Amino acid sequence: AELCATLSREADEAFRQADAARADLDQKALAPALLMQAGYSRIFDRLKARGWEKREGRPRLSTRDRASLLVQA
């Protein structure tokens, strides 16, 4: 669990750096990548919320979640 928490902090920082790096880029051209990032971000948030000790079950996006992401894109 401690290793997962450490990796989680590193991933959070990498996501922040990626957001900063794309600020000056063509957002329309990045739309597919941004959609993927939003989906993975939701899954990552769910993993963090349930805690690193609990490992059973694979977090997934529901059909509603996926539809919501498409509408936001």
Side-chain angles (χ1 to χ4, degrees):
E2 188 175 322
L3 175 60
C4 290
T6 299
L7 291 173
S8 172
R9 288 188 294 275
E10 290 178 13
D12 277 328
E13 179 58 27
F15 281 129
R16 280 192 288 278
Q17 290 176 2
D19 286 342
R22 70 177 172 83
D24 294 332
L25 301 175
D26 179 3
Q27 299 302 300
K28 187 171 183 170
L30 290 175
L34 296 175
L35 182 61
M36 288 177 27
Q37 180 198 14
Y40 285 123
S41 180
R42 283 194 187 183
I43 291 171
F44 185 49
D45 289 343
R46 289 179 184 170
L47 286 168
K48 291 187 293 185
R50 82 174 185 190
W52 300 115
E53 292 79 23
K54 183 177 180 181
R55 296 213 181 166
E56 68 264 359
R58 181 178 168 193
R60 297 178 183 266
L61 293 177
S62 68
T63 301
R64 185 177 186 168
D65 290 328
R66 285 180 268 153
S68 172
L69 289 172
L70 286 174
V71 169
Q72 292 173 7

